[in-house]
Amino acid sequence: MTAPEPPEARYTQAEAYAPMEAAVADAVAALPDFPGFASRTWHELPCTHEGAEDPSHVGVEISYMFDQELWSDPLVRETYADALRGRWAEDGLDVHRDDSVTLASGRTDRNVEALREDGVNLWYRVSGVVGLVVQSGCVPRSDRGEIEYVPPAGGIAPGGPGDLVGEYFPEGIPKGAADGDADYSSL
């Protein structure tokens, strides 16, 4: 069975990383007293169209997580969810998910999600872990060699211990990225 044609995407996989990382930087700018993230990961998710998996397309997901010591802090659990909800609404994004649930343990989990015009989904996730997840939706898959390194946002050092994208760059983080010599001003 041939997979049906996917909806038209604005980006290819290789093109999606830069605007998705820029969305993280924009979100971080809205957060008061920002302590920095502990880690960043890139993931590829399978895409299905009309129930059939389409190997020519992939979902890109970028996850930034706070350090475990901050997961119970009201600043990241409450204040940041409120700040991002407000920022995304001010920016005219479609805030399509905004929920909270208090568990029997007394912990309140939250989800705030907003969809940008270009199809990029922003998800502030507050549960057992707390972080910001950015998703591309289904985009045409790129060859690994086409994917360029994009430096992390939110206080993570390029190529440092929290920059967990090494599987995409088996030869190592591109020269200049880890020592600050690279010019990423056009991103």
Side-chain angles (χ1 to χ4, degrees):
M1 176 178 184
T2 303
E5 244 341 272
E8 188 171 330
R10 183 161 178 190
Y11 307 110
T12 65
Q13 178 185 2
E15 295 166 338
Y17 293 96
M20 291 173 70
E21 290 287 357
V24 172
D26 287 346
V28 166
L31 302 177
D33 301 319
F34 186 70
F37 289 114
S39 66
R40 164 183 82 157
T41 56
W42 289 357
H43 306 281
E44 295 175 13
L45 306 173
C47 282
T48 58
H49 302 286
E50 298 179 18
E53 190 168 331
D54 181 358
S56 69
H57 284 72
V58 66
V60 174
E61 185 174 271
I62 298 174
S63 297
Y64 279 85
M65 293 296 143
F66 287 104
D67 189 271
Q68 184 174 355
E69 293 176 5
L70 294 172
W71 294 350
S72 62
D73 189 325
L75 180 70
V76 301
R77 294 194 71 80
E78 300 165 23
T79 303
Y80 288 176
D82 293 340
L84 289 172
R85 178 187 313 105
R87 171 69 178 264
W88 294 338
E90 276 179 30
D91 289 348
L93 303 184
D94 173 17
V95 179
H96 61 92
R97 182 178 182 192
D98 184 3
D99 59 52
S100 65
V101 61
T102 300
L103 307 176
S105 67
R107 184 183 83 198
T108 299
D109 291 350
R110 294 173 174 77
N111 291 290
V112 180
E113 284 190 70
L115 187 63
R116 295 185 347 171
E117 199 174 281
D118 64 358
V120 170
N121 189 65
L122 307 166
W123 173 25
Y124 192 70
R125 174 183 172 199
V126 178
S127 59
V129 299
V130 181
L132 178 63
V133 179
V134 184
Q135 302 159 318
S136 69
C138 289
V139 296
R141 184 183 297 275
S142 298
D143 290 333
R144 280 282 170 107
E146 296 176 80
I147 298 172
E148 294 182 14
Y149 181 80
V150 180
I156 294 175
D163 192 11
L164 306 174
V165 299
E167 72 183 79
Y168 288 85
F169 308 98
E171 304 295 319
I173 299 300
K175 181 169 175 21
D179 62 18
D181 291 340
D183 178 11
Y184 296 106
S185 61
S186 64
L187 299 178

